[in-house]
Amino acid sequence: MSFKKETPLANAVFWAARKGNLALLQLLLNSGRVDADCRDSYGTTALMVASYSGHYECVKELIMQGADINYQRETGSTALFFASQQGHCDVVKLLFEFGASTEFHTKDGGTALTVASQYGHSKVVDTLLKNGANVHDQLNDGATSLFLAAQEGHVTVIRQLLSSGAKVNQAREDGTAPLWMAAQMGHSEAVKVLLLRGADRDADRQDGSTALFKAALKGHNSVIEELLKFSPSLGLLKNGSTALHAAVVGGNLRSILLLLGANADPTLANKNNELPADLTKSDRILKLLHPKISNGNS
């Protein structure tokens, strides 16, 4: 966080809030010469700074001195947002005791719940949900708290959100679902949980790729193994290719073996009439593919 204060005393208040120096903070506030809601040029308040830094007693002192709990800085962030972002559950609970609201959004649509989910702070997520946070909150691009947790592989948070009613297949505006994102990032345990909770194994995004296609391209073998348990499509996708084509392009031998073991068809051509074997010069990969290709195609 960057601070530009208007007066030396305000500067000292911010320093005390950031460092957790309660005695100095009390001295400054009790002097009557500086307001509890003094702020920098971005609208950051001392309460936000103390909340971000996790200094419980300083947060409490500022609140008792009249600091505005729900004040939003230029970006839309509040003290609750910052405490949630940093995982300071005790501060989050304290802010709720004095009337903090979960309804405020940042300029990109973020809320305390979306940011706590993104950073995997499960205790904060639990506290937020118990205090009325909307599990369906989403960023301006459509990313939900569940999507953000899946992107980072935060399995505990994923379970919490799903148990609180999060929609497992709700995609971002570009069509990317939580399962697709978890697969791309290689988070196999997250993929497993999402599948068990009803995620569409063949959901594709705007480019026509599925979770299996992306995992195959990236060589995320543990993800491929989880997806294959749910019999995803091994045929031609909307992008005009197959997961086996993707695995060959990715060059991961284990990925290719997994798909072949699941009966992926090496004789199936893509939209450019190319077989998977046409997409590699690797002798090792070709040896895997050729025994599987029927006479006349090898």
Side-chain angles (χ1 to χ4, degrees), residues 62-187:
L62 285 159
I63 293 173
M64 300 307 293
Q65 292 272 4
D68 184 348
I69 289 181
N70 291 314
Y71 185 81
Q72 290 179 278
R73 77 191 297 255
E74 190 178 272
T75 60
S77 305
T78 62
L80 180 64
F81 181 94
F82 285 121
S84 299
Q85 180 187 53
Q86 298 304 114
H88 301 309
C89 195
D90 56 341
V91 173
V92 169
K93 290 178 179 178
L94 178 63
L95 291 169
F96 276 129
E97 286 178 23
F98 287 91
S101 172
T102 61
E103 296 181 3
F104 292 99
H105 292 254
T106 62
K107 286 186 175 180
D108 67 357
T111 64
L113 182 60
T114 62
V115 76
S117 299
Q118 180 179 359
Y119 285 94
H121 300 310
S122 59
K123 291 182 180 179
V124 172
V125 168
D126 182 61
T127 300
L128 291 168
L129 290 170
K130 286 178 178 176
N131 283 273
N134 186 353
V135 75
H136 304 302
D137 281 343
Q138 53 188 286
L139 304 184
N140 295 342
D141 66 0
T144 62
S145 296
L146 178 62
F147 180 96
L148 296 168
Q151 184 175 31
E152 302 300 330
H154 299 310
V155 176
T156 300
V157 173
I158 289 171
R159 290 195 176 103
Q160 288 174 291
L161 295 170
L162 288 171
S163 296
S164 297
K167 297 176 181 177
V168 71
N169 290 313
Q170 186 167 344
R172 203 169 54 182
E173 286 184 352
D174 63 358
T176 309
L179 177 66
W180 192 102
M181 183 55 70
Q184 174 186 255
M185 301 303 293
H187 301 311

